C-alpha cells in the first residue's frame, strides 16, 4: 500500500518523521488485517507516498497513525504485534548501515549517529552503563498523545526484534521497562523478551541488553558495503535533532567551555528551575550525573580534549582537579569491551 499524508490543519510542530518508517508501520497493520481503505479514511491519506530517503512528514501525523491503527484493530498489544511484523528494509539506508556493522554494540552506536534520519521527534537514544550493558531508551511524554506512547513501546519491541535478527541469537533482555501501568497479565512480555525483569510505571520505555550480547557479531557484517553506505550517509541532509535529550547534551557540551558545570547554570540555559530539570531528567529515565558524564565523554571522544596535558584536559572536561579527570577517563576505558 502506498499512501501520502495530507498535513493536518493543527500541525505546527517542527518535528518530522521519515515516510519510510510510516510506510513500514502501515504495511504491518495491513498484515494484521487492517483495511487499507480504512487507514486512508481515518488517517486522511491520499496516494502515493513519497519513497525517497529524505521524504518526511510532521511527526504528529505519524503519531496519529498509531492511534488509528490501535482503534481499528482493537488490540491492546498493538505495538508488539506491529514490531513482530514490520519489515526494517523499508526504512532504507538506516537499516543497512545498522546491520552491516561488525557487532551489535557497533550497530547501537550507528543507530544513535543516524537516528535523526528517521525522526527528529525525541526518538531513540542508546546508552552504555558502567558494566558494559547497553540500553535503548524510547522517549515519550506521559502527558502526551496516545500515539506517542504507542510509538515508544513499538521502539522497545522493534529494537529487540532487530537485535535478535542481527545476531541470529535468541537473546534474553537484561531488563525492560515501560511507562504504562502494569497490565492484568504480562506473561506474553516475559516470553517475548525472555526475562521476568520487566518494570511498569517506569520513568522511560527502555530495553537493556547484556554486555556479552552486545559483542556478538552481526551475521550481515560487511565492512566494504558499510564503507560505501557511510559515504552515502555523509551526503544525506539529516534534519537537526530537536529532541530534548539532544538539546540538553549540546548545551552541556558547550557549557564545558566555561569550566565546571552546575545544574543551576544548565537549568537557566533551558529556561527552567533546577527542580524542574531534575524532574524532567527523571521522566527521561536518567540523572544529572549521568548526563554530565555523557557530555564529558562526547567532548572527549570528539577530540577536543584528547591531546592536552593533564591540567588542560581536566579544564576542558569541566574539572578543577586533574586527578578527577584521569579517574573518569580510566573508568570510560575500563567500560570498553
Amino acid at each position: 500500500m502506498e499512501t501520502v499524508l495530507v498535513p493536518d490543519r493543527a500541525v505546527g510542530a517542527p518535528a518530522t518523521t521519515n515516510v519510510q518508517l510510516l510506510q513500514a508501520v502501515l504495511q504491518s497493520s495491513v498484515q494484521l488485517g487492517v483495511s487499507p481503505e480504512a487507514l486512508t479514511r481515518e488517517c486522511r491519506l491520499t496516494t502515493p507516498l513519497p519513497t525517497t530517503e529524505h521524504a518526511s512528514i510532521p511527526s504528529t501525523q505519524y503519531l496519529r497513525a498509531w492511534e488509528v491503527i490501535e482503534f481499528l484493530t482493537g488490540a491492546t498489544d498493538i505495538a508488539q504485534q506491529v514490531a513482530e511484523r514490520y519489515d526494517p528494509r523499508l526504512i532504507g539506508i538506516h537499516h543497512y548501515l545498522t546491520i552491516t556493522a561488525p557487532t551489535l554494540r557497533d550497530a547501537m552506536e550507528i543507530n544513535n549517529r543516524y537516528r535523526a534520519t528517521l525522526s527528529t521527534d525525541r526518538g531513540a537514544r542508546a546508552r552504555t552503563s558502567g558494566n558494559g550493558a547497553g540500553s535503548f531508551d524510547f522517549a515519550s511524554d506521559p502527558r502526551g498523545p496516545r500515539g506517542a506512547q504507542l510509538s515508544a513501546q513499538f521502539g522497545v519491541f522493534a529494537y529487540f526484534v532487530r537485535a535478535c535478527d542481527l545476531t541470529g541469537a535468541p537473546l534474553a533482555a537484561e531488563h525492560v521497562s515501560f511507562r504504562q501501568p502494569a497490565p492484568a497479565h504480562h506473561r506474553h512480555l516475559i516470553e517475548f523478551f525472555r526475562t521476568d525483569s520487566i518494570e511498569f510505571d517506569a520513568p522511560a520505555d527502555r530495553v537493556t541488553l547484556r554486555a556479552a550480547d552486545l559483542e556478538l557479531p552481526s551475521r550481515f557484517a560487511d565492512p566494504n558495503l558499510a564503507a560505501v553506505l557511510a559515504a552515502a550517509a555523509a551526503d544525506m541532509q539529516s534534519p537537526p535533532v530537536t529532541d530534548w535529550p539532544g538539546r540538553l547534551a549540546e548545551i552541556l557540551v558547550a557549557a564545558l567551555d566555561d569550566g565546571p558545570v552546575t545544574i543551576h547554570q544548565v537549568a537557566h540555559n533551558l529556561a527552567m528551575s533546577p527542580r524542574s530539570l531534575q524532574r524532567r531528567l527523571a521522566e527521561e529515565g536518567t540523572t544529572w550525573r549521568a548526563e554530565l558524564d555523557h557530555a564529558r565523554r562526547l567532548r572527549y571522544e570528539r577530540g577536543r580534549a584528547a591531546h592536552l596535558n593533564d591540567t588542560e584536559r581536566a579544564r576542558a572536561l569541566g574539572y578543577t582537579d586533574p586527578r578527577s579527570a584521569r579517574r573518569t577517563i580510566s573508568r570510560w576505558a575500563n567500560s570498553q569491551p
Side-chain angles (χ1 to χ4, degrees):
M1 177 184 63
E2 290 198 345
T3 55
V4 65
L5 286 166
V6 178
D8 190 276
R9 288 177 298 173
V11 172
T16 60
T17 296
N18 191 299
V19 293
Q20 293 177 315
L21 178 58
L22 171 67
Q23 188 175 41
V25 169
L26 293 178
Q27 184 181 87
S28 296
S29 69
V30 171
Q31 292 177 22
L32 287 167
V34 177
S35 162
E37 293 75 18
L39 280 174
T40 299
R41 181 179 64 253
E42 298 298 332
C43 293
R44 284 169 275 174
L45 310 178
T46 58
T47 58
L49 181 69
T51 57
T52 65
E53 295 281 354
H54 306 288
S56 61
I57 57 168
S59 290
T60 48
Q61 296 280 9
Y62 173 69
L63 301 182
R64 187 177 67 191
W66 270 107
E67 296 175 4
V68 169
I69 293 168
E70 183 182 48
F71 171 76
L72 292 176
T73 61
T76 58
D77 60 345
I78 188 60
Q80 177 181 346
Q81 290 198 48
V82 170
E84 290 174 325
R85 291 165 175 80
Y86 102 112
D87 184 353
R89 293 174 299 180
L90 292 177
I91 63 176
I93 192 171
H94 186 281
H95 167 66
Y96 294 103
L97 278 165
T98 301
I99 67 171
T100 55
T103 67
L104 181 54
R105 187 183 297 278
D106 294 316
M108 281 182 61
E109 294 174 355
I110 288 174
N111 189 84
N112 244 16
R113 190 180 312 157
Y114 296 106
R115 64 193 174 96
T117 65
L118 288 183
S119 177
T120 64
D121 187 14
R122 307 179 76 183
R125 184 180 183 189
R127 303 171 185 269
T128 301
S129 64
N131 65 2
S135 297
F136 245 96
D137 296 357
F138 296 86
S140 68
D141 188 339
R143 297 159 297 187
R146 174 62 176 164
Q149 299 166 24
L150 292 171
S151 174
Q153 292 170 19
F154 165 74
V156 171
F157 290 112
Y159 174 72
F160 186 73
V161 169
R162 292 186 69 190
C164 293
D165 182 59
L166 185 146
T167 60
L171 304 180
E174 182 171 275
H175 183 71
V176 181
S177 64
F178 292 102
R179 289 179 182 266
Q180 71 181 49
H185 306 284
H186 66 277
R187 169 56 57 182
H188 64 291
L189 297 178
I190 293 175
E191 294 174 352
F192 182 90
F193 292 107
R194 303 183 186 92
T195 182
D196 57 5
S197 181
I198 300 178
E199 176 186 6
F200 298 96
D201 287 314
D205 295 289
R206 175 184 300 137
V207 57
T208 302
L209 300 180
R210 295 179 173 86
D213 290 340
L214 294 181
E215 308 315 319
L216 291 174
S218 167
R219 60 196 183 102
F220 307 106
D222 186 332
N224 294 327
L225 178 56
V228 173
L229 291 170
D235 295 330
M236 294 175 65
Q237 296 297 315
S238 300
V241 178
T242 58
D243 62 297
W244 190 83
R247 181 184 174 203
L248 173 63
E250 292 304 322
I251 287 177
L252 280 168
V253 170
L256 288 169
D257 286 332
D258 300 322
V261 180
T262 68
I263 191 170
H264 290 80
Q265 171 191 355
V266 173
H268 176 76
N269 290 340
L270 288 167
M272 61 174 60
S273 69
R275 180 173 295 182
S276 295
L277 176 54
Q278 293 276 27
R279 183 167 56 250
R280 183 62 185 271
L281 289 168
E283 290 175 354
E284 296 288 344
T286 185
T287 64
W288 165 254
R289 184 174 180 178
E291 291 304 307
L292 181 56
D293 188 70
H294 175 66
R296 283 172 169 153
R297 190 163 188 172
L298 277 177
R299 187 179 177 91
Y300 182 76
E301 292 179 349
R302 286 175 182 177
R304 297 181 184 177
H307 304 293
L308 307 175
N309 63 42
D310 283 355
T311 300
E312 292 169 333
R313 182 180 296 113
R315 187 181 303 114
L317 296 180
Y319 288 108
T320 56
D321 184 354
R323 291 173 298 181
S324 297
R326 286 197 297 269
R327 284 194 295 269
T328 296
I329 294 170
S330 177
R331 172 168 54 80
W332 292 337
N334 290 334
S335 69
Q336 295 294 323

